PDB file of all heavy atoms in Angstrom:
ATOM      1  N   ASP A 125      56.524 148.205 128.922  1.00 77.00           N
ATOM      2  CA  ASP A 125      55.779 148.458 127.681  1.00 77.00           C
ATOM      3  C   ASP A 125      55.006 147.215 127.260  1.00 77.00           C
ATOM      4  O   ASP A 125      55.303 146.090 127.688  1.00 77.00           O
ATOM      5  CB  ASP A 125      56.733 148.909 126.563  1.00 77.00           C
ATOM      6  CG  ASP A 125      57.734 147.832 126.198  1.00 77.00           C
ATOM      7  OD1 ASP A 125      57.380 146.901 125.504  1.00 77.00           O
ATOM      8  OD2 ASP A 125      58.898 147.962 126.633  1.00 77.00           O
ATOM      9  N   PRO A 126      53.989 147.368 126.396  1.00 76.00           N
ATOM     10  CA  PRO A 126      53.126 146.248 126.018  1.00 76.00           C
ATOM     11  C   PRO A 126      53.848 145.064 125.389  1.00 76.00           C
ATOM     12  O   PRO A 126      53.414 143.930 125.532  1.00 76.00           O
ATOM     13  CB  PRO A 126      52.141 146.892 125.032  1.00 76.00           C
ATOM     14  CG  PRO A 126      52.152 148.357 125.376  1.00 76.00           C
ATOM     15  CD  PRO A 126      53.555 148.643 125.829  1.00 76.00           C
ATOM     16  N   ASP A 127      54.922 145.326 124.659  1.00 85.00           N
ATOM     17  CA  ASP A 127      55.633 144.245 123.988  1.00 85.00           C
ATOM     18  C   ASP A 127      56.706 143.620 124.861  1.00 85.00           C
ATOM     19  O   ASP A 127      57.423 142.700 124.436  1.00 85.00           O
ATOM     20  CB  ASP A 127      56.296 144.772 122.694  1.00 85.00           C
ATOM     21  CG  ASP A 127      55.251 145.185 121.670  1.00 85.00           C
ATOM     22  OD1 ASP A 127      54.167 144.590 121.644  1.00 85.00           O
ATOM     23  OD2 ASP A 127      55.527 146.128 120.905  1.00 85.00           O
ATOM     24  N   LEU A 128      56.873 144.097 126.073  1.00 89.00           N
ATOM     25  CA  LEU A 128      57.918 143.593 126.960  1.00 89.00           C
ATOM     26  C   LEU A 128      57.767 142.116 127.251  1.00 89.00           C
ATOM     27  O   LEU A 128      58.741 141.333 127.162  1.00 89.00           O
ATOM     28  CB  LEU A 128      57.936 144.389 128.265  1.00 89.00           C
ATOM     29  CG  LEU A 128      58.925 143.908 129.332  1.00 89.00           C
ATOM     30  CD1 LEU A 128      60.344 144.018 128.820  1.00 89.00           C
ATOM     31  CD2 LEU A 128      58.743 144.710 130.612  1.00 89.00           C
ATOM     32  N   ALA A 129      56.571 141.690 127.583  1.00 91.00           N
ATOM     33  CA  ALA A 129      56.345 140.270 127.958  1.00 91.00           C
ATOM     34  C   ALA A 129      56.687 139.349 126.794  1.00 91.00           C
ATOM     35  O   ALA A 129      57.267 138.275 126.986  1.00 91.00           O
ATOM     36  CB  ALA A 129      54.884 140.071 128.394  1.00 91.00           C
ATOM     37  N   LYS A 130      56.350 139.768 125.568  1.00 92.00           N
ATOM     38  CA  LYS A 130      56.673 138.936 124.412  1.00 92.00           C
ATOM     39  C   LYS A 130      58.174 138.778 124.223  1.00 92.00           C
ATOM     40  O   LYS A 130      58.669 137.682 123.950  1.00 92.00           O
ATOM     41  CB  LYS A 130      56.050 139.529 123.147  1.00 92.00           C
ATOM     42  CG  LYS A 130      54.519 139.533 123.136  1.00 92.00           C
ATOM     43  CD  LYS A 130      53.987 140.144 121.844  1.00 92.00           C
ATOM     44  CE  LYS A 130      52.478 140.175 121.845  1.00 92.00           C
ATOM     45  NZ  LYS A 130      51.924 140.792 120.603  1.00 92.00           N
ATOM     46  N   ASP A 131      58.914 139.880 124.389  1.00 91.00           N
ATOM     47  CA  ASP A 131      60.366 139.830 124.204  1.00 91.00           C
ATOM     48  C   ASP A 131      61.003 138.993 125.308  1.00 91.00           C
ATOM     49  O   ASP A 131      61.906 138.172 125.041  1.00 91.00           O
ATOM     50  CB  ASP A 131      60.942 141.227 124.198  1.00 91.00           C
ATOM     51  CG  ASP A 131      62.407 141.250 123.822  1.00 91.00           C
ATOM     52  OD1 ASP A 131      62.782 140.561 122.846  1.00 91.00           O
ATOM     53  OD2 ASP A 131      63.186 141.942 124.493  1.00 91.00           O
ATOM     54  N   VAL A 132      60.583 139.184 126.551  1.00 93.00           N
ATOM     55  CA  VAL A 132      61.130 138.413 127.660  1.00 93.00           C
ATOM     56  C   VAL A 132      60.795 136.930 127.492  1.00 93.00           C
ATOM     57  O   VAL A 132      61.668 136.061 127.722  1.00 93.00           O
ATOM     58  CB  VAL A 132      60.603 138.940 129.009  1.00 93.00           C
ATOM     59  CG1 VAL A 132      60.986 138.001 130.151  1.00 93.00           C
ATOM     60  CG2 VAL A 132      61.096 140.334 129.287  1.00 93.00           C
ATOM     61  N   CYS A 133      59.594 136.637 127.092  1.00 94.00           N
ATOM     62  CA  CYS A 133      59.187 135.250 126.840  1.00 94.00           C
ATOM     63  C   CYS A 133      60.058 134.603 125.776  1.00 94.00           C
ATOM     64  O   CYS A 133      60.495 133.448 125.884  1.00 94.00           O
ATOM     65  CB  CYS A 133      57.725 135.175 126.449  1.00 94.00           C
ATOM     66  SG  CYS A 133      57.086 133.517 126.181  1.00 94.00           S
ATOM     67  N   ARG A 134      60.358 135.379 124.716  1.00 93.00           N
ATOM     68  CA  ARG A 134      61.197 134.872 123.646  1.00 93.00           C
ATOM     69  C   ARG A 134      62.624 134.563 124.142  1.00 93.00           C
ATOM     70  O   ARG A 134      63.209 133.522 123.776  1.00 93.00           O
ATOM     71  CB  ARG A 134      61.241 135.902 122.506  1.00 93.00           C
ATOM     72  CG  ARG A 134      61.918 135.397 121.222  1.00 93.00           C
ATOM     73  CD  ARG A 134      61.927 136.468 120.138  1.00 93.00           C
ATOM     74  NE  ARG A 134      60.563 136.949 119.871  1.00 93.00           N
ATOM     75  CZ  ARG A 134      60.132 138.172 120.152  1.00 93.00           C
ATOM     76  NH1 ARG A 134      60.954 139.061 120.695  1.00 93.00           N
ATOM     77  NH2 ARG A 134      58.911 138.531 119.865  1.00 93.00           N
ATOM     78  N   ILE A 135      63.175 135.443 124.954  1.00 94.00           N
ATOM     79  CA  ILE A 135      64.522 135.222 125.487  1.00 94.00           C
ATOM     80  C   ILE A 135      64.547 133.951 126.349  1.00 94.00           C
ATOM     81  O   ILE A 135      65.468 133.133 126.245  1.00 94.00           O
ATOM     82  CB  ILE A 135      64.981 136.436 126.303  1.00 94.00           C
ATOM     83  CG1 ILE A 135      65.163 137.646 125.399  1.00 94.00           C
ATOM     84  CG2 ILE A 135      66.302 136.132 127.033  1.00 94.00           C
ATOM     85  CD1 ILE A 135      65.475 138.944 126.145  1.00 94.00           C
ATOM     86  N   ILE A 136      63.540 133.789 127.219  1.00 95.00           N
ATOM     87  CA  ILE A 136      63.490 132.625 128.120  1.00 95.00           C
ATOM     88  C   ILE A 136      63.376 131.341 127.291  1.00 95.00           C
ATOM     89  O   ILE A 136      64.074 130.350 127.556  1.00 95.00           O
ATOM     90  CB  ILE A 136      62.315 132.746 129.097  1.00 95.00           C
ATOM     91  CG1 ILE A 136      62.548 133.939 130.020  1.00 95.00           C
ATOM     92  CG2 ILE A 136      62.146 131.460 129.904  1.00 95.00           C
ATOM     93  CD1 ILE A 136      61.368 134.241 130.956  1.00 95.00           C
ATOM     94  N   ARG A 137      62.521 131.346 126.280  1.00 94.00           N
ATOM     95  CA  ARG A 137      62.347 130.140 125.458  1.00 94.00           C
ATOM     96  C   ARG A 137      63.643 129.782 124.705  1.00 94.00           C
ATOM     97  O   ARG A 137      64.033 128.613 124.652  1.00 94.00           O
ATOM     98  CB  ARG A 137      61.219 130.357 124.449  1.00 94.00           C
ATOM     99  CG  ARG A 137      59.831 130.318 125.066  1.00 94.00           C
ATOM    100  CD  ARG A 137      58.771 130.570 123.998  1.00 94.00           C
ATOM    101  NE  ARG A 137      57.417 130.460 124.517  1.00 94.00           N
ATOM    102  CZ  ARG A 137      56.330 130.630 123.795  1.00 94.00           C
ATOM    103  NH1 ARG A 137      56.429 130.935 122.510  1.00 94.00           N
ATOM    104  NH2 ARG A 137      55.139 130.507 124.346  1.00 94.00           N
ATOM    105  N   GLN A 138      64.298 130.796 124.144  1.00 93.00           N
ATOM    106  CA  GLN A 138      65.530 130.526 123.401  1.00 93.00           C
ATOM    107  C   GLN A 138      66.618 129.978 124.322  1.00 93.00           C
ATOM    108  O   GLN A 138      67.335 129.055 123.969  1.00 93.00           O
ATOM    109  CB  GLN A 138      66.028 131.821 122.741  1.00 93.00           C
ATOM    110  CG  GLN A 138      65.170 132.277 121.599  1.00 93.00           C
ATOM    111  CD  GLN A 138      65.613 133.637 121.054  1.00 93.00           C
ATOM    112  OE1 GLN A 138      66.488 134.295 121.608  1.00 93.00           O
ATOM    113  NE2 GLN A 138      64.988 134.076 119.954  1.00 93.00           N
ATOM    114  N   ALA A 139      66.735 130.563 125.513  1.00 93.00           N
ATOM    115  CA  ALA A 139      67.774 130.120 126.447  1.00 93.00           C
ATOM    116  C   ALA A 139      67.547 128.697 126.942  1.00 93.00           C
ATOM    117  O   ALA A 139      68.501 127.965 127.214  1.00 93.00           O
ATOM    118  CB  ALA A 139      67.851 131.090 127.628  1.00 93.00           C
ATOM    119  N   HIS A 140      66.271 128.302 127.046  1.00 92.00           N
ATOM    120  CA  HIS A 140      65.943 126.957 127.573  1.00 92.00           C
ATOM    121  C   HIS A 140      65.701 125.931 126.466  1.00 92.00           C
ATOM    122  O   HIS A 140      65.301 124.808 126.788  1.00 92.00           O
ATOM    123  CB  HIS A 140      64.694 127.055 128.462  1.00 92.00           C
ATOM    124  CG  HIS A 140      64.973 127.695 129.790  1.00 92.00           C
ATOM    125  ND1 HIS A 140      65.371 126.976 130.896  1.00 92.00           N
ATOM    126  CD2 HIS A 140      64.918 128.985 130.170  1.00 92.00           C
ATOM    127  CE1 HIS A 140      65.536 127.792 131.920  1.00 92.00           C
ATOM    128  NE2 HIS A 140      65.274 129.021 131.512  1.00 92.00           N
TER     129      HIS A 140
END
Side-chain angles (χ1 to χ4, degrees):
D125 63 77
D127 294 328
L128 176 62
K130 294 180 181 178
D131 188 45
V132 171
C133 183
R134 189 179 305 112
I135 293 174
I136 295 174
R137 287 179 176 180
Q138 290 174 354
H140 287 271

